[in-house]
PDB file of all heavy atoms in Angstrom:
ATOM      1  N   THR A   1    -136.041-119.118  76.374  1.00  0.00           N
ATOM      2  CA  THR A   1    -135.700-118.577  75.058  1.00  0.00           C
ATOM      3  C   THR A   1    -136.271-117.177  74.890  1.00  0.00           C
ATOM      4  O   THR A   1    -135.589-116.276  74.396  1.00  0.00           O
ATOM      5  CB  THR A   1    -136.225-119.505  73.949  1.00  0.00           C
ATOM      6  OG1 THR A   1    -135.685-120.804  74.147  1.00  0.00           O
ATOM      7  CG2 THR A   1    -135.835-119.003  72.577  1.00  0.00           C
ATOM      8  N   ASP A   2    -137.521-116.977  75.310  1.00  0.00           N
ATOM      9  CA  ASP A   2    -138.132-115.650  75.211  1.00  0.00           C
ATOM     10  C   ASP A   2    -137.364-114.630  76.046  1.00  0.00           C
ATOM     11  O   ASP A   2    -137.138-113.494  75.612  1.00  0.00           O
ATOM     12  CB  ASP A   2    -139.589-115.699  75.664  1.00  0.00           C
ATOM     13  CG  ASP A   2    -140.472-116.477  74.702  1.00  0.00           C
ATOM     14  OD1 ASP A   2    -140.060-116.660  73.535  1.00  0.00           O
ATOM     15  OD2 ASP A   2    -141.567-116.904  75.129  1.00  0.00           O
ATOM     16  N   MET A   3    -136.947-115.026  77.253  1.00  0.00           N
ATOM     17  CA  MET A   3    -136.200-114.127  78.117  1.00  0.00           C
ATOM     18  C   MET A   3    -134.864-113.737  77.468  1.00  0.00           C
ATOM     19  O   MET A   3    -134.481-112.568  77.461  1.00  0.00           O
ATOM     20  CB  MET A   3    -135.935-114.789  79.469  1.00  0.00           C
ATOM     21  CG  MET A   3    -135.192-113.894  80.440  1.00  0.00           C
ATOM     22  SD  MET A   3    -134.663-114.742  81.935  1.00  0.00           S
ATOM     23  CE  MET A   3    -133.491-115.918  81.276  1.00  0.00           C
ATOM     24  N   LEU A   4    -134.185-114.712  76.888  1.00  0.00           N
ATOM     25  CA  LEU A   4    -132.902-114.425  76.235  1.00  0.00           C
ATOM     26  C   LEU A   4    -133.088-113.535  75.012  1.00  0.00           C
ATOM     27  O   LEU A   4    -132.272-112.643  74.751  1.00  0.00           O
ATOM     28  CB  LEU A   4    -132.204-115.731  75.856  1.00  0.00           C
ATOM     29  CG  LEU A   4    -131.685-116.552  77.038  1.00  0.00           C
ATOM     30  CD1 LEU A   4    -131.166-117.900  76.548  1.00  0.00           C
ATOM     31  CD2 LEU A   4    -130.608-115.809  77.786  1.00  0.00           C
ATOM     32  N   GLU A   5    -134.153-113.755  74.254  1.00  0.00           N
ATOM     33  CA  GLU A   5    -134.431-112.902  73.097  1.00  0.00           C
ATOM     34  C   GLU A   5    -134.693-111.470  73.534  1.00  0.00           C
ATOM     35  O   GLU A   5    -134.243-110.523  72.885  1.00  0.00           O
ATOM     36  CB  GLU A   5    -135.611-113.450  72.310  1.00  0.00           C
ATOM     37  CG  GLU A   5    -135.293-114.688  71.510  1.00  0.00           C
ATOM     38  CD  GLU A   5    -136.504-115.266  70.795  1.00  0.00           C
ATOM     39  OE1 GLU A   5    -137.623-114.738  70.984  1.00  0.00           O
ATOM     40  OE2 GLU A   5    -136.328-116.240  70.052  1.00  0.00           O
ATOM     41  N   ASP A   6    -135.413-111.281  74.635  1.00  0.00           N
ATOM     42  CA  ASP A   6    -135.662-109.934  75.148  1.00  0.00           C
ATOM     43  C   ASP A   6    -134.357-109.257  75.545  1.00  0.00           C
ATOM     44  O   ASP A   6    -134.143-108.066  75.264  1.00  0.00           O
ATOM     45  CB  ASP A   6    -136.610-109.980  76.348  1.00  0.00           C
ATOM     46  CG  ASP A   6    -138.028-110.353  75.951  1.00  0.00           C
ATOM     47  OD1 ASP A   6    -138.372-110.202  74.756  1.00  0.00           O
ATOM     48  OD2 ASP A   6    -138.784-110.801  76.840  1.00  0.00           O
ATOM     49  N   ARG A   7    -133.473-109.999  76.177  1.00  0.00           N
ATOM     50  CA  ARG A   7    -132.181-109.428  76.564  1.00  0.00           C
ATOM     51  C   ARG A   7    -131.373-109.015  75.346  1.00  0.00           C
ATOM     52  O   ARG A   7    -130.735-107.969  75.339  1.00  0.00           O
ATOM     53  CB  ARG A   7    -131.386-110.432  77.397  1.00  0.00           C
ATOM     54  CG  ARG A   7    -131.901-110.598  78.790  1.00  0.00           C
ATOM     55  CD  ARG A   7    -131.017-111.522  79.579  1.00  0.00           C
ATOM     56  NE  ARG A   7    -131.457-111.621  80.958  1.00  0.00           N
ATOM     57  CZ  ARG A   7    -130.803-112.268  81.891  1.00  0.00           C
ATOM     58  NH1 ARG A   7    -129.670-112.889  81.604  1.00  0.00           N
ATOM     59  NH2 ARG A   7    -131.260-112.319  83.122  1.00  0.00           N
ATOM     60  N   VAL A   8    -131.380-109.843  74.321  1.00  0.00           N
ATOM     61  CA  VAL A   8    -130.632-109.517  73.104  1.00  0.00           C
ATOM     62  C   VAL A   8    -131.207-108.265  72.459  1.00  0.00           C
ATOM     63  O   VAL A   8    -130.464-107.397  71.980  1.00  0.00           O
ATOM     64  CB  VAL A   8    -130.634-110.716  72.124  1.00  0.00           C
ATOM     65  CG1 VAL A   8    -130.112-110.311  70.770  1.00  0.00           C
ATOM     66  CG2 VAL A   8    -129.817-111.859  72.691  1.00  0.00           C
ATOM     67  N   ARG A   9    -132.546-108.127  72.451  1.00  0.00           N
ATOM     68  CA  ARG A   9    -133.157-106.925  71.884  1.00  0.00           C
ATOM     69  C   ARG A   9    -132.717-105.675  72.633  1.00  0.00           C
ATOM     70  O   ARG A   9    -132.402-104.647  72.030  1.00  0.00           O
ATOM     71  CB  ARG A   9    -134.681-107.043  71.928  1.00  0.00           C
ATOM     72  CG  ARG A   9    -135.248-107.891  70.843  1.00  0.00           C
ATOM     73  CD  ARG A   9    -136.786-107.792  70.790  1.00  0.00           C
ATOM     74  NE  ARG A   9    -137.309-108.945  70.104  1.00  0.00           N
ATOM     75  CZ  ARG A   9    -137.867-109.996  70.688  1.00  0.00           C
ATOM     76  NH1 ARG A   9    -138.028-110.025  71.989  1.00  0.00           N
ATOM     77  NH2 ARG A   9    -138.301-111.017  69.978  1.00  0.00           N
ATOM     78  N   VAL A  10    -132.672-105.757  73.966  1.00  0.00           N
ATOM     79  CA  VAL A  10    -132.239-104.611  74.768  1.00  0.00           C
ATOM     80  C   VAL A  10    -130.788-104.269  74.461  1.00  0.00           C
ATOM     81  O   VAL A  10    -130.431-103.096  74.278  1.00  0.00           O
ATOM     82  CB  VAL A  10    -132.441-104.906  76.271  1.00  0.00           C
ATOM     83  CG1 VAL A  10    -131.751-103.857  77.128  1.00  0.00           C
ATOM     84  CG2 VAL A  10    -133.913-104.982  76.603  1.00  0.00           C
ATOM     85  N   LEU A  11    -129.943-105.277  74.384  1.00  0.00           N
ATOM     86  CA  LEU A  11    -128.534-105.033  74.074  1.00  0.00           C
ATOM     87  C   LEU A  11    -128.356-104.435  72.686  1.00  0.00           C
ATOM     88  O   LEU A  11    -127.532-103.533  72.488  1.00  0.00           O
ATOM     89  CB  LEU A  11    -127.733-106.333  74.204  1.00  0.00           C
ATOM     90  CG  LEU A  11    -127.547-106.847  75.630  1.00  0.00           C
ATOM     91  CD1 LEU A  11    -126.900-108.220  75.600  1.00  0.00           C
ATOM     92  CD2 LEU A  11    -126.740-105.880  76.453  1.00  0.00           C
ATOM     93  N   GLU A  12    -129.122-104.907  71.719  1.00  0.00           N
ATOM     94  CA  GLU A  12    -129.047-104.338  70.375  1.00  0.00           C
ATOM     95  C   GLU A  12    -129.465-102.880  70.378  1.00  0.00           C
ATOM     96  O   GLU A  12    -128.846-102.036  69.731  1.00  0.00           O
ATOM     97  CB  GLU A  12    -129.934-105.138  69.414  1.00  0.00           C
ATOM     98  CG  GLU A  12    -129.377-106.490  69.038  1.00  0.00           C
ATOM     99  CD  GLU A  12    -130.343-107.294  68.183  1.00  0.00           C
ATOM    100  OE1 GLU A  12    -131.539-106.940  68.120  1.00  0.00           O
ATOM    101  OE2 GLU A  12    -129.896-108.293  67.586  1.00  0.00           O
ATOM    102  N   ARG A  13    -130.529-102.568  71.132  1.00  0.00           N
ATOM    103  CA  ARG A  13    -131.000-101.188  71.190  1.00  0.00           C
ATOM    104  C   ARG A  13    -129.953-100.298  71.835  1.00  0.00           C
ATOM    105  O   ARG A  13    -129.677 -99.195  71.363  1.00  0.00           O
ATOM    106  CB  ARG A  13    -132.315-101.115  71.961  1.00  0.00           C
ATOM    107  CG  ARG A  13    -132.984 -99.753  71.840  1.00  0.00           C
ATOM    108  CD  ARG A  13    -134.319 -99.694  72.544  1.00  0.00           C
ATOM    109  NE  ARG A  13    -134.113 -99.728  73.997  1.00  0.00           N
ATOM    110  CZ  ARG A  13    -134.612-100.628  74.821  1.00  0.00           C
ATOM    111  NH1 ARG A  13    -135.386-101.593  74.366  1.00  0.00           N
ATOM    112  NH2 ARG A  13    -134.375-100.582  76.110  1.00  0.00           N
ATOM    113  N   LEU A  14    -129.337-100.779  72.906  1.00  0.00           N
ATOM    114  CA  LEU A  14    -128.290 -99.996  73.561  1.00  0.00           C
ATOM    115  C   LEU A  14    -127.110 -99.761  72.627  1.00  0.00           C
ATOM    116  O   LEU A  14    -126.549 -98.669  72.578  1.00  0.00           O
ATOM    117  CB  LEU A  14    -127.817-100.697  74.832  1.00  0.00           C
ATOM    118  CG  LEU A  14    -128.776-100.677  76.017  1.00  0.00           C
ATOM    119  CD1 LEU A  14    -128.225-101.557  77.132  1.00  0.00           C
ATOM    120  CD2 LEU A  14    -129.011 -99.275  76.510  1.00  0.00           C
ATOM    121  N   ALA A  15    -126.745-100.784  71.902  1.00  0.00           N
ATOM    122  CA  ALA A  15    -125.590-100.668  71.008  1.00  0.00           C
ATOM    123  C   ALA A  15    -125.871 -99.716  69.856  1.00  0.00           C
ATOM    124  O   ALA A  15    -125.012 -98.930  69.463  1.00  0.00           O
ATOM    125  CB  ALA A  15    -125.199-102.042  70.474  1.00  0.00           C
ATOM    126  N   THR A  16    -127.072 -99.754  69.330  1.00  0.00           N
ATOM    127  CA  THR A  16    -127.375 -98.898  68.176  1.00  0.00           C
ATOM    128  C   THR A  16    -127.749 -97.491  68.591  1.00  0.00           C
ATOM    129  O   THR A  16    -127.406 -96.531  67.910  1.00  0.00           O
ATOM    130  CB  THR A  16    -128.514 -99.499  67.338  1.00  0.00           C
ATOM    131  OG1 THR A  16    -129.659 -99.698  68.166  1.00  0.00           O
ATOM    132  CG2 THR A  16    -128.088-100.796  66.707  1.00  0.00           C
ATOM    133  N   ASP A  17    -128.427 -97.299  69.715  1.00  0.00           N
ATOM    134  CA  ASP A  17    -128.826 -95.963  70.140  1.00  0.00           C
ATOM    135  C   ASP A  17    -127.630 -95.137  70.590  1.00  0.00           C
ATOM    136  O   ASP A  17    -127.561 -93.946  70.344  1.00  0.00           O
ATOM    137  CB  ASP A  17    -129.854 -96.036  71.284  1.00  0.00           C
ATOM    138  CG  ASP A  17    -131.209 -96.524  70.801  1.00  0.00           C
ATOM    139  OD1 ASP A  17    -131.395 -96.592  69.569  1.00  0.00           O
ATOM    140  OD2 ASP A  17    -132.065 -96.843  71.651  1.00  0.00           O
ATOM    141  N   ARG A  18    -126.698 -95.763  71.251  1.00  0.00           N
ATOM    142  CA  ARG A  18    -125.539 -95.038  71.758  1.00  0.00           C
ATOM    143  C   ARG A  18    -124.417 -94.996  70.726  1.00  0.00           C
ATOM    144  O   ARG A  18    -123.345 -94.480  71.018  1.00  0.00           O
ATOM    145  CB  ARG A  18    -125.028 -95.686  73.029  1.00  0.00           C
ATOM    146  CG  ARG A  18    -125.919 -95.421  74.207  1.00  0.00           C
ATOM    147  CD  ARG A  18    -125.245 -95.533  75.544  1.00  0.00           C
ATOM    148  NE  ARG A  18    -123.824 -95.314  75.617  1.00  0.00           N
ATOM    149  CZ  ARG A  18    -123.261 -94.183  76.042  1.00  0.00           C
ATOM    150  NH1 ARG A  18    -123.998 -93.162  76.355  1.00  0.00           N
ATOM    151  NH2 ARG A  18    -121.958 -94.091  76.134  1.00  0.00           N
ATOM    152  N   GLY A  19    -124.653 -95.492  69.528  1.00  0.00           N
ATOM    153  CA  GLY A  19    -123.586 -95.555  68.540  1.00  0.00           C
ATOM    154  C   GLY A  19    -123.019 -94.195  68.200  1.00  0.00           C
ATOM    155  O   GLY A  19    -121.808 -93.989  68.191  1.00  0.00           O
ATOM    156  N   ALA A  20    -123.887 -93.232  67.922  1.00  0.00           N
ATOM    157  CA  ALA A  20    -123.414 -91.902  67.542  1.00  0.00           C
ATOM    158  C   ALA A  20    -122.756 -91.214  68.735  1.00  0.00           C
ATOM    159  O   ALA A  20    -121.698 -90.593  68.599  1.00  0.00           O
ATOM    160  CB  ALA A  20    -124.574 -91.073  67.014  1.00  0.00           C
ATOM    161  N   THR A  21    -123.358 -91.313  69.898  1.00  0.00           N
ATOM    162  CA  THR A  21    -122.803 -90.690  71.092  1.00  0.00           C
ATOM    163  C   THR A  21    -121.461 -91.314  71.448  1.00  0.00           C
ATOM    164  O   THR A  21    -120.515 -90.610  71.796  1.00  0.00           O
ATOM    165  CB  THR A  21    -123.781 -90.842  72.269  1.00  0.00           C
ATOM    166  OG1 THR A  21    -125.061 -90.374  71.872  1.00  0.00           O
ATOM    167  CG2 THR A  21    -123.307 -90.083  73.474  1.00  0.00           C
ATOM    168  N   LEU A  22    -121.379 -92.600  71.344  1.00  0.00           N
ATOM    169  CA  LEU A  22    -120.136 -93.286  71.652  1.00  0.00           C
ATOM    170  C   LEU A  22    -119.043 -92.880  70.680  1.00  0.00           C
ATOM    171  O   LEU A  22    -117.898 -92.644  71.078  1.00  0.00           O
ATOM    172  CB  LEU A  22    -120.358 -94.800  71.616  1.00  0.00           C
ATOM    173  CG  LEU A  22    -119.197 -95.686  72.025  1.00  0.00           C
ATOM    174  CD1 LEU A  22    -118.791 -95.391  73.464  1.00  0.00           C
ATOM    175  CD2 LEU A  22    -119.559 -97.151  71.886  1.00  0.00           C
ATOM    176  N   ALA A  23    -119.380 -92.759  69.413  1.00  0.00           N
ATOM    177  CA  ALA A  23    -118.385 -92.338  68.420  1.00  0.00           C
ATOM    178  C   ALA A  23    -117.900 -90.922  68.728  1.00  0.00           C
ATOM    179  O   ALA A  23    -116.703 -90.630  68.621  1.00  0.00           O
ATOM    180  CB  ALA A  23    -118.986 -92.412  67.028  1.00  0.00           C
ATOM    181  N   ASP A  24    -118.811 -90.038  69.138  1.00  0.00           N
ATOM    182  CA  ASP A  24    -118.417 -88.676  69.492  1.00  0.00           C
ATOM    183  C   ASP A  24    -117.484 -88.675  70.703  1.00  0.00           C
ATOM    184  O   ASP A  24    -116.507 -87.918  70.743  1.00  0.00           O
ATOM    185  CB  ASP A  24    -119.654 -87.819  69.792  1.00  0.00           C
ATOM    186  CG  ASP A  24    -120.507 -87.592  68.546  1.00  0.00           C
ATOM    187  OD1 ASP A  24    -119.966 -87.745  67.425  1.00  0.00           O
ATOM    188  OD2 ASP A  24    -121.703 -87.272  68.706  1.00  0.00           O
ATOM    189  N   GLU A  25    -117.798 -89.506  71.704  1.00  0.00           N
ATOM    190  CA  GLU A  25    -116.947 -89.588  72.892  1.00  0.00           C
ATOM    191  C   GLU A  25    -115.562 -90.110  72.548  1.00  0.00           C
ATOM    192  O   GLU A  25    -114.556 -89.629  73.067  1.00  0.00           O
ATOM    193  CB  GLU A  25    -117.599 -90.480  73.942  1.00  0.00           C
ATOM    194  CG  GLU A  25    -118.837 -89.887  74.572  1.00  0.00           C
ATOM    195  CD  GLU A  25    -119.520 -90.853  75.523  1.00  0.00           C
ATOM    196  OE1 GLU A  25    -118.961 -91.926  75.806  1.00  0.00           O
ATOM    197  OE2 GLU A  25    -120.621 -90.517  75.984  1.00  0.00           O
ATOM    198  N   ILE A  26    -115.485 -91.083  71.654  1.00  0.00           N
ATOM    199  CA  ILE A  26    -114.189 -91.628  71.237  1.00  0.00           C
ATOM    200  C   ILE A  26    -113.375 -90.558  70.524  1.00  0.00           C
ATOM    201  O   ILE A  26    -112.174 -90.392  70.769  1.00  0.00           O
ATOM    202  CB  ILE A  26    -114.380 -92.881  70.357  1.00  0.00           C
ATOM    203  CG1 ILE A  26    -114.921 -94.035  71.204  1.00  0.00           C
ATOM    204  CG2 ILE A  26    -113.077 -93.273  69.682  1.00  0.00           C
ATOM    205  CD1 ILE A  26    -115.326 -95.242  70.410  1.00  0.00           C
ATOM    206  N   GLU A  27    -114.021 -89.807  69.645  1.00  0.00           N
ATOM    207  CA  GLU A  27    -113.317 -88.737  68.932  1.00  0.00           C
ATOM    208  C   GLU A  27    -112.832 -87.663  69.900  1.00  0.00           C
ATOM    209  O   GLU A  27    -111.725 -87.141  69.756  1.00  0.00           O
ATOM    210  CB  GLU A  27    -114.231 -88.122  67.862  1.00  0.00           C
ATOM    211  CG  GLU A  27    -114.460 -89.015  66.663  1.00  0.00           C
ATOM    212  CD  GLU A  27    -113.158 -89.396  65.966  1.00  0.00           C
ATOM    213  OE1 GLU A  27    -112.262 -88.542  65.799  1.00  0.00           O
ATOM    214  OE2 GLU A  27    -113.048 -90.578  65.579  1.00  0.00           O
ATOM    215  N   ALA A  28    -113.648 -87.339  70.911  1.00  0.00           N
ATOM    216  CA  ALA A  28    -113.232 -86.342  71.901  1.00  0.00           C
ATOM    217  C   ALA A  28    -112.012 -86.835  72.669  1.00  0.00           C
ATOM    218  O   ALA A  28    -111.088 -86.068  72.942  1.00  0.00           O
ATOM    219  CB  ALA A  28    -114.388 -86.041  72.847  1.00  0.00           C
ATOM    220  N   LEU A  29    -112.003 -88.123  73.022  1.00  0.00           N
ATOM    221  CA  LEU A  29    -110.839 -88.673  73.705  1.00  0.00           C
ATOM    222  C   LEU A  29    -109.605 -88.646  72.812  1.00  0.00           C
ATOM    223  O   LEU A  29    -108.500 -88.359  73.274  1.00  0.00           O
ATOM    224  CB  LEU A  29    -111.132 -90.106  74.173  1.00  0.00           C
ATOM    225  CG  LEU A  29    -112.092 -90.251  75.339  1.00  0.00           C
ATOM    226  CD1 LEU A  29    -112.418 -91.723  75.555  1.00  0.00           C
ATOM    227  CD2 LEU A  29    -111.512 -89.640  76.594  1.00  0.00           C
ATOM    228  N   ARG A  30    -109.799 -88.924  71.545  1.00  0.00           N
ATOM    229  CA  ARG A  30    -108.657 -88.872  70.611  1.00  0.00           C
ATOM    230  C   ARG A  30    -108.124 -87.449  70.500  1.00  0.00           C
ATOM    231  O   ARG A  30    -106.911 -87.232  70.497  1.00  0.00           O
ATOM    232  CB  ARG A  30    -109.078 -89.389  69.232  1.00  0.00           C
ATOM    233  CG  ARG A  30    -109.213 -90.872  69.162  1.00  0.00           C
ATOM    234  CD  ARG A  30    -109.542 -91.314  67.762  1.00  0.00           C
ATOM    235  NE  ARG A  30    -109.773 -92.749  67.723  1.00  0.00           N
ATOM    236  CZ  ARG A  30    -110.449 -93.372  66.794  1.00  0.00           C
ATOM    237  NH1 ARG A  30    -110.988 -92.697  65.800  1.00  0.00           N
ATOM    238  NH2 ARG A  30    -110.605 -94.677  66.827  1.00  0.00           N
ATOM    239  N   ASP A  31    -109.027 -86.481  70.391  1.00  0.00           N
ATOM    240  CA  ASP A  31    -108.595 -85.090  70.294  1.00  0.00           C
ATOM    241  C   ASP A  31    -107.859 -84.671  71.561  1.00  0.00           C
ATOM    242  O   ASP A  31    -106.829 -84.000  71.509  1.00  0.00           O
ATOM    243  CB  ASP A  31    -109.800 -84.171  70.060  1.00  0.00           C
ATOM    244  CG  ASP A  31    -110.441 -84.403  68.692  1.00  0.00           C
ATOM    245  OD1 ASP A  31    -109.757 -84.981  67.811  1.00  0.00           O
ATOM    246  OD2 ASP A  31    -111.608 -84.021  68.516  1.00  0.00           O
ATOM    247  N   ASP A  32    -108.400 -85.063  72.719  1.00  0.00           N
ATOM    248  CA  ASP A  32    -107.777 -84.727  73.989  1.00  0.00           C
ATOM    249  C   ASP A  32    -106.402 -85.366  74.106  1.00  0.00           C
ATOM    250  O   ASP A  32    -105.440 -84.736  74.523  1.00  0.00           O
ATOM    251  CB  ASP A  32    -108.681 -85.181  75.142  1.00  0.00           C
ATOM    252  CG  ASP A  32    -108.176 -84.697  76.477  1.00  0.00           C
ATOM    253  OD1 ASP A  32    -107.725 -83.532  76.541  1.00  0.00           O
ATOM    254  OD2 ASP A  32    -108.220 -85.480  77.443  1.00  0.00           O
ATOM    255  N   ARG A  33    -106.297 -86.618  73.690  1.00  0.00           N
ATOM    256  CA  ARG A  33    -105.022 -87.329  73.749  1.00  0.00           C
ATOM    257  C   ARG A  33    -104.015 -86.702  72.789  1.00  0.00           C
ATOM    258  O   ARG A  33    -102.844 -86.539  73.120  1.00  0.00           O
ATOM    259  CB  ARG A  33    -105.217 -88.806  73.409  1.00  0.00           C
ATOM    260  CG  ARG A  33    -103.969 -89.631  73.651  1.00  0.00           C
ATOM    261  CD  ARG A  33    -104.166 -91.086  73.358  1.00  0.00           C
ATOM    262  NE  ARG A  33    -105.178 -91.631  74.253  1.00  0.00           N
ATOM    263  CZ  ARG A  33    -105.757 -92.805  74.053  1.00  0.00           C
ATOM    264  NH1 ARG A  33    -105.438 -93.534  73.016  1.00  0.00           N
ATOM    265  NH2 ARG A  33    -106.643 -93.251  74.906  1.00  0.00           N
ATOM    266  N   ALA A  34    -104.487 -86.298  71.612  1.00  0.00           N
ATOM    267  CA  ALA A  34    -103.590 -85.665  70.640  1.00  0.00           C
ATOM    268  C   ALA A  34    -103.104 -84.326  71.183  1.00  0.00           C
ATOM    269  O   ALA A  34    -101.935 -83.974  71.041  1.00  0.00           O
ATOM    270  CB  ALA A  34    -104.300 -85.479  69.312  1.00  0.00           C
ATOM    271  N   GLY A  35    -103.971 -83.572  71.827  1.00  0.00           N
ATOM    272  CA  GLY A  35    -103.576 -82.291  72.413  1.00  0.00           C
ATOM    273  C   GLY A  35    -102.553 -82.473  73.507  1.00  0.00           C
ATOM    274  O   GLY A  35    -101.586 -81.713  73.618  1.00  0.00           O
ATOM    275  N   LYS A  36    -102.732 -83.479  74.344  1.00  0.00           N
ATOM    276  CA  LYS A  36    -101.768 -83.754  75.407  1.00  0.00           C
ATOM    277  C   LYS A  36    -100.435 -84.175  74.815  1.00  0.00           C
ATOM    278  O   LYS A  36     -99.380 -83.830  75.323  1.00  0.00           O
ATOM    279  CB  LYS A  36    -102.291 -84.837  76.343  1.00  0.00           C
ATOM    280  CG  LYS A  36    -103.389 -84.367  77.264  1.00  0.00           C
ATOM    281  CD  LYS A  36    -103.833 -85.482  78.179  1.00  0.00           C
ATOM    282  CE  LYS A  36    -104.966 -85.041  79.076  1.00  0.00           C
ATOM    283  NZ  LYS A  36    -105.442 -86.137  79.924  1.00  0.00           N
ATOM    284  N   GLY A  37    -100.496 -84.933  73.735  1.00  0.00           N
ATOM    285  CA  GLY A  37     -99.256 -85.382  73.098  1.00  0.00           C
ATOM    286  C   GLY A  37     -98.455 -84.213  72.566  1.00  0.00           C
ATOM    287  O   GLY A  37     -97.229 -84.174  72.679  1.00  0.00           O
ATOM    288  N   VAL A  38     -99.140 -83.211  72.021  1.00  0.00           N
ATOM    289  CA  VAL A  38     -98.450 -82.028  71.508  1.00  0.00           C
ATOM    290  C   VAL A  38     -97.827 -81.255  72.659  1.00  0.00           C
ATOM    291  O   VAL A  38     -96.683 -80.823  72.591  1.00  0.00           O
ATOM    292  CB  VAL A  38     -99.441 -81.136  70.712  1.00  0.00           C
ATOM    293  CG1 VAL A  38     -98.826 -79.792  70.389  1.00  0.00           C
ATOM    294  CG2 VAL A  38     -99.877 -81.856  69.456  1.00  0.00           C
ATOM    295  N   ARG A  39     -98.589 -81.110  73.767  1.00  0.00           N
ATOM    296  CA  ARG A  39     -98.069 -80.383  74.920  1.00  0.00           C
ATOM    297  C   ARG A  39     -96.856 -81.100  75.518  1.00  0.00           C
ATOM    298  O   ARG A  39     -95.870 -80.466  75.893  1.00  0.00           O
ATOM    299  CB  ARG A  39     -99.160 -80.225  75.977  1.00  0.00           C
ATOM    300  CG  ARG A  39    -100.117 -79.083  75.635  1.00  0.00           C
ATOM    301  CD  ARG A  39    -101.121 -78.863  76.739  1.00  0.00           C
ATOM    302  NE  ARG A  39    -102.394 -79.374  76.206  1.00  0.00           N
ATOM    303  CZ  ARG A  39    -103.271 -80.068  76.884  1.00  0.00           C
ATOM    304  NH1 ARG A  39    -103.063 -80.367  78.143  1.00  0.00           N
ATOM    305  NH2 ARG A  39    -104.376 -80.487  76.329  1.00  0.00           N
TER     306      ARG A  39
END
């Protein structure tokens, strides 16, 4: 149980720490896709 709780904590930290960066990457992909669509 302790091992599983530690894993969940690590996953939560990864999900919350990369949240802003991940959102920026998604927006960049959307912008890139929109630009390609126009071209």
